[in-house]
Amino acid sequence: MKQFMVHVQPREPSGIMIWTRDSPLIEMFGIELYVGKHNHSQKEPIWDRQLMVNVTSTVDGKFLIHDRDMIVEVGDTIRYRFLVLHKHTVSHSNYRRILVTDHLFFRPRNTKCFSECLVRDQAGYREEAARMKEILENKILQCVGSQGSELLFFPLEGATKLVSDAMHFIKYRLWQVEDLRPVINSVQTAYVAQNGVGVKMRTVIDKLKVLEFGKGKITVVDYDNYMNVEGLGEGEY
């Protein structure tokens, strides 16, 4: 079994990978692995995590075993043995031990601190998402052009008797839908009509968000499509 080089690599914040290079002498590769913490009152670690997996296919020229849930920490001990199947014969290695040190971990981009790397990755993701959002919104505005306004209408029979503060009514309705809470600050003006409450959003995109995320959750319509319907009432924005 000495001809097989097996690599064991814990990952942050969780996970462990075990692999060996593809070989004509391996039809199946397997691992029996335990992870334990040291206890001052006992000589042997407490083996509270284990992994037993076999694989028969290769990935990028390797027999690879990847468990994403196992948590391995600095100071733990890994005890393992591997097996190979060749021509109907299963061979096991002797048990081996590894003391987990900081250098054993895989960290993205070879950085020393996973948390710092994670913060940078998240910041980069947010910047990229913001750029994509701006591009998509500009494309939507180009498609809508001057044909669409920022106006919405919330139908409500007897609104003039039921609603005393149009802005409070609109913001309360939007707050009821979690996905619409970010657009509350985009409400520009609102007014009460005989059978509903009208509102002007900051942009056409904000209006489209309300129509899309509010489907089946709040009663709201595109004012542009209903401006000629009898009974909408009049109001000034």
Side-chain angles (χ1 to χ4, degrees):
M1 301 292 281
K2 293 182 179 180
Q3 67 267 38
F4 303 115
M5 178 70 70
V6 175
H7 303 269
V8 178
Q9 186 179 74
R11 302 170 73 87
E12 287 190 329
S14 66
I16 189 168
M17 293 179 65
I18 305 98
W19 74 90
T20 189
R21 293 180 61 181
D22 188 12
S23 168
L25 300 178
I26 302 178
E27 298 170 26
M28 181 182 72
F29 173 71
I31 194 75
E32 177 186 343
L33 181 145
Y34 305 89
V35 181
K37 291 186 177 297
H38 288 276
N39 190 317
H40 295 295
S41 62
Q42 299 179 8
K43 292 184 178 180
E44 278 290 296
I46 300 175
W47 307 108
D48 55 356
R49 286 148 286 171
Q50 66 179 25
L51 178 66
M52 298 182 185
V53 180
N54 300 323
V55 293
T56 57
S57 58
T58 59
V59 178
D60 296 330
K62 299 185 289 289
F63 285 94
L64 174 66
I65 295 172
H66 186 188
D67 183 284
R68 292 177 171 80
D69 299 322
M70 178 174 284
I71 297 176
V72 181
E73 299 175 334
V74 173
D76 287 345
T77 296
I78 297 174
R79 179 174 181 262
Y80 74 95
R81 67 174 180 172
F82 65 91
L83 64 88
V84 296
L85 171 66
H86 180 60
K87 292 184 178 180
H88 307 291
T89 300
V90 177
S91 302
H92 292 83
S93 71
N94 294 325
Y95 279 104
R96 303 175 182 180
R97 291 197 181 203
I98 302 174
L99 178 62
V100 179
T101 63
D102 187 70
H103 298 290
L104 191 63
F105 284 88
F106 169 80
R107 292 187 171 96
R109 299 181 183 176
N110 295 321
T111 57
K112 293 185 178 181
C113 179
F114 174 79
S115 58
E116 290 180 2
C117 179
L118 183 60
V119 169
R120 285 197 296 271
D121 287 348
Q122 288 178 338
Y125 172 79
R126 286 194 295 269
E127 291 175 2
E128 180 66 18
R131 285 196 295 268
M132 292 302 298
K133 178 176 179 289
E134 182 179 0
I135 292 172
L136 290 173
E137 289 185 350
N138 288 335
K139 290 295 183 183
I140 292 173
L141 288 175
Q142 290 175 12
C143 293
V144 175
S146 60
Q147 300 177 10
S149 72
E150 302 86 5
L151 309 181
L152 291 167
F153 194 78
F154 289 72
L156 178 65
E157 290 296 330
T160 53
K161 297 180 180 179
L162 299 173
V163 179
S164 59
D165 187 330
M167 287 291 285
H168 177 77
F169 172 83
I170 293 298
K171 291 183 177 182
Y172 173 75
R173 297 301 299 274
L174 295 177
W175 181 260
Q176 291 178 313
V177 181
E178 186 173 353
D179 289 335
L180 292 179
R181 292 176 184 177
V183 301
I184 289 177
N185 291 332
S186 296
V187 175
Q188 299 295 290
T189 57
Y191 78 97
V192 180
Q194 186 174 357
N195 62 343
V197 179
V199 58
K200 181 178 181 180
M201 303 300 293
R202 182 175 58 85
T203 66
V204 175
I205 297 296
D206 292 324
K207 180 183 81 168
L208 295 176
K209 288 178 181 177
V210 174
L211 292 172
E212 180 63 27
F213 296 141
K215 284 182 180 178
K217 299 174 183 177
I218 56 175
T219 303
V220 60
V221 296
D222 187 342
Y223 186 84
D224 298 341
N225 296 335
Y226 289 86
M227 60 187 305
N228 294 321
V229 176
E230 183 179 357
L232 277 179
E234 297 181 355
E236 295 183 357
Y237 288 93

